[in-house]
């Protein structure tokens, strides 16, 4: 590491420390629904930046869930003296007191109009140390997942127009926005903040108990590097180092999903990772979509359980009059990309969490299906 790089990291740490001095300690809210996001003291606005409090650790996923092209700042905080227990397959076993936050935001457009947001995958201007530079981004919502004695609770907050704080939105919200791409093409849409029950419907990984859990913090999603203020480090290794994770193997021995946008990875690995994070939390043997017989988490073999030559459980407009979930070599005859390519509430999948079509995601799944060999025989 060069001297200039060391000085940069030291300056970054000093700036973060200065911000932390101005924040009250993180407040674990053991019950109730605090009216303001700032009541938690997890992330707060200071001097034109959204900063992370002391002990609040940011993280990202190899392949993230699509939400109308929104960017996301994810964080974990735990009380002193406790840690999550590593699991190679499922969500880590987080202790009571854990607070996970996810802030949804967009890069601002060049003209600065508040309702215009950039449709871009470029995050180079988003981050300021481990927080967000508000001159560059438009904050939309922050969701809190808190682990209480009674279980996990999901609490949504919507950011005020002046970006000073986010307010409790138990019944959700609808926010009109316009996506603007790098060629100035515009797409009006309604960004939908889910209400508490909708949050619970996605986070209930076991549809019998209906108990909710985090979705993203699994080994295969977190086994990647993150650009922390002090430098790049593997997220699993970093969580172990700060005392937030116990029992984890070396990153090389942990599972790892592909980055859906990484063209150096195989097409199959990218598509399976995309379906895993976007669909697998419902389409699994215990999830909300378990009656469909369609399993889309990354562990399922590539057979009828994954949808190959599998007829749908229910007919209707959601099938587009197609006969099988996946027809090898024929994406345009397959139900899966048909539903992904729709924004009609009665047709689209996933059912919640988006109002727009993820064009690049649809293209990935179509290319994956097109690469498959074989065919399906319809039984009449």
């Amino acid at each position: 590491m060069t001297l200039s790089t060391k000085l940069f990291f030291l300056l970054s740490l000093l700036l973060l420390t200065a911000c932390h001095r101005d924040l009250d300690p993180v407040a674990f809210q053991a019950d109730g629904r605090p009216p303001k996001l700032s009541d938690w003291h997890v992330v707060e606005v200071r001097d034109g930046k959204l900063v992370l409090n002391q002990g609040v650790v940011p993280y990202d996923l190899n392949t993230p869930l699509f939400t109308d092209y929104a960017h996301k700042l994810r964080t974990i905080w735990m009380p002193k003296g406790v840690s999550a227990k590593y699991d190679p397959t499922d969500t880590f076993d987080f202790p009571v007191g854990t607070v996970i936050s996810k802030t949804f935001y967009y890069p601002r457009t060049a003209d600065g109009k508040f309702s215009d947001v950039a449709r871009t995958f470029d995050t180079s201007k988003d981050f300021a140390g481990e927080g967000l530079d508000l001159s560059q981004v438009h904050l939309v919502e922050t969701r809190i997942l808190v682990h209480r004695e009674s279980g996990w609770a999901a609490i949504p907050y919507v950011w005020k127009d002046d970006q000073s704080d986010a307010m409790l939105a138990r019944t959700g919200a609808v926010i009109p926005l316009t996506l603007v791409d790098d060629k100035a093409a515009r797409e009006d849409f309604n960004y939908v903040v889910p209400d508490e029950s909708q949050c619970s419907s996605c986070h209930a990984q076991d549809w019998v108990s209906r108990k909710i859990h985090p979705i993203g913090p699994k080994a295969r999603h977190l086994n990647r590097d993150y650009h922390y203020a002090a430098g790049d480090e593997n997220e699993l290794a970093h969580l172990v180092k700060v005392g937030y994770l116990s029992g984890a193997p070396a990153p090389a021995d942990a599972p790892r999903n592909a980055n859906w946008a990484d063209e150096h990875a195989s097409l199959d690995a990218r598509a399976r990772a995309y379906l895993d994070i976007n669909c697998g939390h419902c389409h699994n043997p215990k999830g909300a979509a378990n009656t469909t017989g369609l399993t889309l988490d990354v562990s399922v073999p590539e057979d009828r359980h994954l949808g190959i030559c599998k007829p749908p459980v229910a007919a209707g407009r959601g099938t587009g009059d197609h006969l099988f979930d996946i027809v090898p070599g024929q994406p345009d005859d397959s139900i899966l990309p048909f539903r992904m390519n729709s924004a009609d509430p009665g047709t689209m999948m996933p059912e919640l969490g988006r109002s727009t079509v993820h064009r690049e995601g649809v293209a990935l799944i179509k290319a994956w299906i097109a690469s498959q060999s074989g065919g399906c025989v319809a039984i009449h």
Side-chain angles (χ1 to χ4, degrees), residues 24-57:
D24 291 333
V26 173
F28 166 57
Q29 308 284 348
D31 52 40
R33 301 292 189 270
K36 298 179 296 182
L37 178 64
S38 59
D39 292 330
W40 295 87
H41 305 298
V42 173
V43 293
E44 292 189 54
V45 173
R46 290 290 186 276
D47 299 323
K49 294 180 174 60
L50 183 69
V51 299
L52 279 58
N53 208 340
Q54 187 75 35
V56 176
V57 176

Side-chain angles (χ1 to χ4, degrees), residues 76-97:
I76 298 174
W77 176 87
M78 296 180 205
K80 289 184 179 180
V82 298
S83 64
K85 295 178 182 178
Y86 176 84
D87 188 292
T89 304
D90 295 327
T91 301
F92 299 152
D93 184 6
F94 289 96
V96 170

Side-chain angles (χ1 to χ4, degrees), residues 240-352:
V240 170
K241 186 173 75 174
V242 301
Y244 278 7
L245 182 62
S246 62
D253 297 323
R256 181 182 182 274
N257 267 14
N259 176 344
W260 75 277
D262 179 9
E263 295 184 357
H264 294 96
S266 73
L267 180 59
D268 184 70
R270 293 166 57 205
R272 295 297 301 273
Y274 185 91
L275 294 173
D276 184 29
I277 192 65
N278 282 279
C279 315
H281 53 280
C282 285
H283 283 278
N284 66 75
K286 294 183 179 180
N290 64 346
T291 59
T292 65
L294 181 63
T295 301
L296 295 175
D297 67 34
V298 77
S299 64
V300 69
E302 293 195 5
D303 57 15
R304 183 167 290 200
H305 294 287
L306 186 60
I308 296 175
C309 295
K310 188 189 82 62
V313 170
R317 64 176 182 169
T319 68
D321 294 325
H322 302 319
L323 299 178
F324 303 104
D325 292 335
I326 292 175
V327 181
Q330 301 180 50
D332 291 338
D333 292 332
S334 302
I335 297 172
L336 185 60
F338 170 76
R339 301 197 75 171
M340 289 175 58
N341 201 36
S342 174
D344 179 348
T347 300
M348 71 180 194
M349 281 289 173
E351 294 176 313
L352 300 173

Side-chain angles (χ1 to χ4, degrees), residues 100-117:
I100 296 176
S101 79
K102 183 161 63 171
T103 296
F104 297 69
Y105 64 93
Y106 291 91
R108 294 181 182 270
T109 57
D111 63 12
K113 185 178 178 181
F114 190 69
S115 61
D116 286 359
V117 294

